[in-house]
Amino acid sequence: MGGGSALRLLLLGCGVLSLGRILLRCGRAGDEPGPFTVITIRGAAPRHQEPEPPGRGGRGATAGAPGGRSPGSLQRYQDENENLGPPKTQQDVALQPWADGSRSLRSEAKRFLMYISTPQLPCSRALSQAGLQAFTDSTGGAWRVCLDHMPSVSLKLQQETCLVYTFSVVKRGFEFSQQMSEMRCQVHSFGLTPHKQTGLWDKGQVQHHQLWLDWHERRPTASLQRQRSASKRLNQIMEDFGHKKIDVLEADLASAEWKILESILVDGTVATVHQLILAIHLHWPGFGVGGSEAAVVRYWYSLLKALEARGFRLFYSFKDLKKPQLFLHKELFNASSSYTLSWVNTYWMY
């Protein structure tokens, strides 16, 4: 046998011996692990099954989650090193228990209408369409800003100004923007331009934007890019403008309010708002909301209770008698199809 063949056999033998030592070491209990790490993937513990909540597109689908399900309903997987605590920025909206064992529309509607008609916070001075007035005066119209809870100039940093957002998908008057600008607030108006054009735009007291408020991120498409306006979530809008807090947010979103309210509750943006004035529409479930009639009302109620859990207290409720008196397409419960609700965030930090 030549010298080259002997050398090859020697190297092969050394390789076999080394492999055998590695295999024996990996098979012994208590020895150090080999060069590979095994990660175990396991499903999270199953939760108690509730009836699927409404507020989901189609038959129980939610925009923005795989398969149309809400983030809270998705099965989670984790490895050994994952932090299993609740996410820092996501706060799921939990469904409230049913009003009673009947799970009927009547019992759910009774609880909901009582809730939106009962103020939780006193307010002695208010600003409305009629201007500064005593709170007991009911002729001021739908929206109210509670001046008891408006920060004075001394409470705010010098570089900060009173900041107001107003959203509308329907054409309406400009009284809110005008009144808030007279309060020396910086007003940003979004959506459709009000019926009457005033010098407010020219003077820079109100900045108007062809921008719509949405509850989920929409992928840019050619058709959307051709449109003159875009739609964004509230946190995206605030980030674009460099705003950290909103003193007053007023919105009439024409039945998109339920999904938008859910989105700012879940992502935590609602905590950046001091006073919230929101028109709600009850003649149908609303965009992206589905389920039985009783389940829809339970979903509405759960959103408002989640708002309360985050520190918001209702101080004014306006029932619009000029709108059709319909509740989920029915003339029931002496309810209007439209209410305007005003809250103060009691957790607010100036």
Side-chain angles (χ1 to χ4, degrees):
M1 181 180 295
S5 300
L7 179 61
R8 284 196 295 271
L9 287 174
L10 179 62
L11 292 175
L12 179 61
C14 291
V16 171
L17 290 175
S18 299
L19 179 61
R21 293 181 61 187
I22 292 174
L23 293 176
L24 288 173
R25 178 183 298 179
C26 293
R28 294 175 185 172
D31 284 340
E32 295 180 359
F36 303 102
T37 301
V38 178
I39 300 177
T40 304
I41 306 296
R42 58 180 181 273
R47 298 179 179 179
H48 174 69
Q49 296 295 321
E50 281 278 353
E52 189 172 24
R56 314 298 185 232
R59 292 181 58 85
T62 297
R69 292 180 292 174
S70 65
S73 66
L74 296 177
Q75 188 179 22
R76 296 184 68 254
Y77 296 91
Q78 76 272 350
D79 62 39
E80 275 82 358
N81 297 320
E82 184 180 357
N83 181 8
L84 302 182
K88 294 180 180 179
T89 59
Q90 298 288 322
Q91 302 181 59
D92 293 340
V93 177
L95 280 177
Q96 292 291 311
W98 293 93
D100 59 33
S102 69
R103 302 189 177 188
S104 65
L105 172 62
R106 181 168 295 277
S107 59
E108 295 301 320
K110 181 179 179 181
R111 177 176 66 171
F112 174 79
L113 291 171
M114 177 66 70
Y115 188 79
I116 67 172
S117 303
T118 307
Q120 302 168 316
L121 189 74
C123 181
S124 61
R125 295 183 309 129
L127 185 68
S128 71
Q129 285 93 325
L132 181 62
Q133 63 187 72
F135 186 79
T136 54
D137 187 355
S138 60
T139 62
W143 62 268
R144 293 284 178 93
V145 174
C146 185
L147 297 181
D148 296 354
H149 298 273
M150 284 294 289
S152 66
V153 177
S154 61
L155 288 176
K156 297 182 75 70
L157 299 177
Q158 292 183 356
Q159 66 267 25
E160 291 183 332
T161 58
C162 170
L163 182 63
V164 174
Y165 278 15
T166 175
F167 295 91
S168 177
V169 296
V170 295
K171 287 193 174 182
R172 52 181 176 166
F174 58 92
E175 293 87 357
F176 177 78
S177 296
Q178 186 174 29
Q179 292 283 358
M180 297 312 299
S181 66
E182 292 175 358
M183 289 283 293
R184 299 183 179 179
C185 292
Q186 181 185 14
V187 181
H188 289 265
S189 173
F190 301 87
L192 292 178
T193 306
H195 281 296
K196 298 180 180 180
Q197 298 289 343
T198 71
L200 292 175
W201 319 120
D202 300 331
K203 296 177 182 178
Q205 293 173 283
V206 176
Q207 300 180 41
H208 186 71
H209 313 277
Q210 287 290 103
L211 189 62
W212 308 96
L213 185 60
D214 210 335
W215 65 84
H216 63 281
E217 298 180 19
R218 298 184 184 273
R219 295 181 179 178
T221 62
S223 60
L224 286 176
Q225 291 175 354
R226 288 194 297 268
Q227 295 177 2
R228 297 191 314 176
S229 60
S231 62
K232 293 185 178 182
R233 293 166 61 99
L234 181 59
N235 58 357
Q236 294 175 311
I237 294 174
M238 294 178 66
E239 182 178 354
D240 289 346
F241 287 106
H243 297 150
K244 301 298 183 182
K245 295 182 179 180
I246 303 172
D247 289 275
V248 181
L249 189 154
E250 187 261 355
D252 185 344
L253 304 171
S255 296
E257 63 271 7
W258 299 113
K259 295 302 296 180
I260 289 175
L261 179 57
E262 181 184 40
S263 73
I264 65 176
L265 283 165
V266 169
D267 66 21
T269 311
V270 71
T272 66
V273 178
H274 185 198
Q275 295 197 37
L276 175 63
I277 305 168
L278 186 65
I280 61 173
H281 303 84
L282 309 181
H283 59 290
W284 71 297
F287 292 107
V289 181
S292 68
E293 292 177 331
V296 165
V297 182
R298 181 193 183 201
Y299 168 70
W300 292 347
Y301 177 72
S302 298
L303 290 179
L304 300 188
K305 289 295 288 184
L307 196 61
E308 179 183 346
R310 283 138 176 92
F312 284 80
R313 298 295 181 267
L314 183 70
F315 71 87
Y316 182 64
S317 175
F318 175 80
K319 178 181 179 180
D320 195 340
L321 298 177
K322 296 180 181 180
K323 296 293 179 67
Q325 305 301 289
L326 294 175
F327 189 92
L328 293 179
H329 304 292
K330 301 177 178 64
E331 294 183 359
L332 294 174
F333 318 114
N334 193 30
S336 173
S337 61
S338 179
Y339 292 77
T340 301
L341 308 178
S342 301
W343 292 272
V344 166
N345 181 357
T346 59
Y347 293 169
W348 175 265
M349 297 296 290
Y350 294 112

